[in-house]
Each structure stands twice: as structure tokens, then as C-alpha cells.
Amino acid sequence: METSRAEDLRENFLLEDLFGAGEVRAVYTHDDRMVVGGAVPSGERLDLPAWDVLGTTSHLERRELGIINVAETGHVLVDGEKFELGHLDGLYVGRGSEVSFTGDDAVFYFVSVPAGTTYPTTILKHDEVEPVEIGTDGGASVRSLYRYAWGQELQTYGLQFGVTVIANGSVWNTMPPHLHDRRTEVYMYVDLAEEDRVFHFLGQPGATRHLVVGNRQGVISPPWSIHSGAGTGSYAFIWAMTGENNVYTDLDGVALDTL
């Protein structure tokens, strides 16, 4: 990473084309074998594929899934049962289920990870999740942390995910940054204006780089990389993690003077 050009960093760590009308698109990363994708039904019914790289006949044969709708109201069908998801509503789907997406104006973001146990499918309404308010006005870091699946309350095998909404007038999404050596994390940036960008910092402390990220683009953060960013306007981001454990506080803080 230290010697990479900007285009190399974008090719290897940036997810910039996951959402195509009438399609399900995804990226498979060997970092904790996460699948990160988008489904845009555009009035059709789209099934969650079992891509060849998974080596299974069904996507969730050995995986669990987190879904968040980043646009207008749509529906997710899990084994034929319909779940309505509004903007930033989430859904956890346990191992072994069949999943489809519908909705004229819905745009679904999803992350699947390996799972060895099946837990119940659970809808996670954004306005029913109590946010944790963190950050300071002086630090331009006020934000609301919505924990959908975080190792408590909702049981999962290893997947954690949720949404952080940055307050108007603040810019930082994670400050100070941190590492979690036992987990990979992916940030998906949403609700940015067309002209706005987030400057996302990644890399090992003392040798960080940055990516310029637009709306509905994401960044893969391997366990050895920090993850922090500052935006030019209001935005939110979806975070998703998996790895050796699902203890939310399993992380190592990075002091700013070590960057």
C-alpha cells in the first residue's frame, strides 16, 4: 500500500460499481471471505445468486447475511416471507435461507460472511434502534451510531453491521481511528450529495494513504488497516465486520501522534 498509486489503491480497496439497475452485483474479498454487494430490482424480482466462487448451490448454504436498504421502500423475500424495508432499515438473514429482492425504487446493500450456525431472520427498523451519540462539536465528529447486529441482543455467528449518521456540520466518521487485528471491516458511504466526497484514510499507522469516495461507494479495510474519513458534506456510512469473534469492543485504538 505504501508504494501504490491512487489508481492501484482504488482497484484493490474501493468498491465503486456495486449498484446497477436490474442487477445483483458483488465483490468477493479474501479478507475474512466477505461478499459485499448491491441489488437494484427496478421493478423486477432479483434472486441472491450463488456465484461459483462460493462453491455452493445456494448463496447462504454456509453463510449469513446482512441487508440495508439505501433508497426508497422495497421488500426482501426470505424463504417466501416478505419483509418491508424503508430507507436505512436492515435485515439479518440466517444461514440456509433463499433470498430475493423487489421494489421499484429500492436499492439494497448487502454483506454475507461464513457461518457455522443458523440464527433467526430478524428485521431491524432504523427508527426503532436506539442510537449511541458520540463525538464532539469542537472535534467536528458528532455522529449517531446505530448498532443493528453487534454481538449483543441480536445473535449472529460472526457478522456485525449497522449505520452511523454524521451530524450536519460535522465531518469525521471515526476519530481517533483504530485497528481490529481479528476482523475485517467494510465501510459503504451513503446519502452523500452528488457533488460531495469523503476522504477515507487507510493503511498501517505511520504509512497511511487516502481514497476519494463518492455516494454508494465502499472501502475494504483489512485487519492491518485503520479506517477513518472526513466528508465535504452530510453523509452516513454502513459498517460491516466479521472475523475471529463478534465482540464489538475488540479493537486497538491508534493515537493520532502515531499516524
Side-chain angles (χ1 to χ4, degrees):
M1 180 174 285
E2 292 182 55
T3 59
S4 295
R5 299 171 298 172
E7 63 188 84
D8 298 322
L9 294 174
R10 295 179 72 86
E11 180 179 354
N12 287 287
F13 298 99
L14 182 66
L15 307 170
E16 57 181 334
D17 194 25
L18 288 182
F19 303 99
E23 296 183 53
V24 181
R25 300 177 181 175
V27 168
Y28 179 95
T29 171
H30 284 278
D31 292 298
D32 283 303
R33 302 191 181 277
M34 301 174 77
V35 174
V36 184
V40 187
S42 298
E44 303 178 29
R45 171 173 167 163
L46 299 177
D47 297 330
L48 181 64
W51 287 282
D52 290 344
V53 68
L54 302 180
T56 57
T57 57
S58 171
H59 188 108
L60 296 184
E61 185 174 323
R62 297 196 296 260
R63 290 176 163 264
E64 59 187 356
L65 178 71
I67 304 168
I68 293 182
N69 183 8
V70 299
E72 303 302 319
T73 299
H75 295 87
V76 179
L77 283 75
V78 180
D79 297 329
E81 183 177 358
K82 182 180 286 188
F83 296 88
E84 182 175 281
L85 272 63
H87 185 64
L88 295 185
D89 287 347
L91 185 70
Y92 168 77
V93 183
R95 186 187 68 166
S97 294
E98 296 290 342
V99 174
S100 301
F101 306 93
T102 66
D104 292 345
D105 300 306
V107 176
F108 298 102
Y109 171 68
F110 64 84
V111 176
S112 77
V113 305
T117 306
T118 300
Y119 293 107
T121 294
T122 305
I123 192 165
L124 303 153
K125 290 290 188 179
H126 181 70
D127 60 4
E128 296 177 2
V129 176
E130 186 69 28
V132 178
E133 305 297 339
I134 50 180
T136 65
D137 287 325
S141 60
V142 177
R143 55 203 189 272
S144 300
L145 171 65
Y146 294 83
R147 298 177 295 189
Y148 291 179
W150 57 292
Q152 298 184 35
E153 299 174 11
L154 174 65
Q155 195 166 17
T156 69
Y157 184 79
L159 176 64
Q160 297 184 35
F161 69 101
V163 179
T164 299
V165 179
I166 312 304
N168 286 331
S170 285
V171 298
W172 288 103
N173 59 53
T174 304
M175 185 53 63
H178 58 261
L179 298 165
H180 21 72
D181 192 51
R182 287 163 289 278
R183 289 179 293 177
T184 296
E185 184 163 13
V186 176
Y187 278 15
M188 170 56 63
Y189 289 102
V190 298
D191 291 352
L192 277 78
E194 183 177 354
E195 67 274 11
D196 283 325
R197 295 293 184 272
V198 172
F199 289 76
H200 181 99
F201 298 92
L202 70 167
Q204 294 178 302
T208 58
R209 305 294 301 278
H210 74 273
L211 290 167
V212 180
V213 185
N215 188 44
R216 297 180 185 171
Q217 295 182 349
V219 181
I220 298 169
S221 298
W224 45 264
S225 175
I226 70 161
H227 30 280
S228 182
T232 62
S234 63
Y235 67 100
F237 73 97
I238 300 166
W239 44 270
M241 299 181 282
T242 195
E244 287 292 338
N245 60 58
N246 59 359
V247 177
Y248 184 76
T249 54
D250 178 28
L251 54 83
D252 299 306
V254 176
L256 293 181
D257 62 4
T258 68
L259 293 178

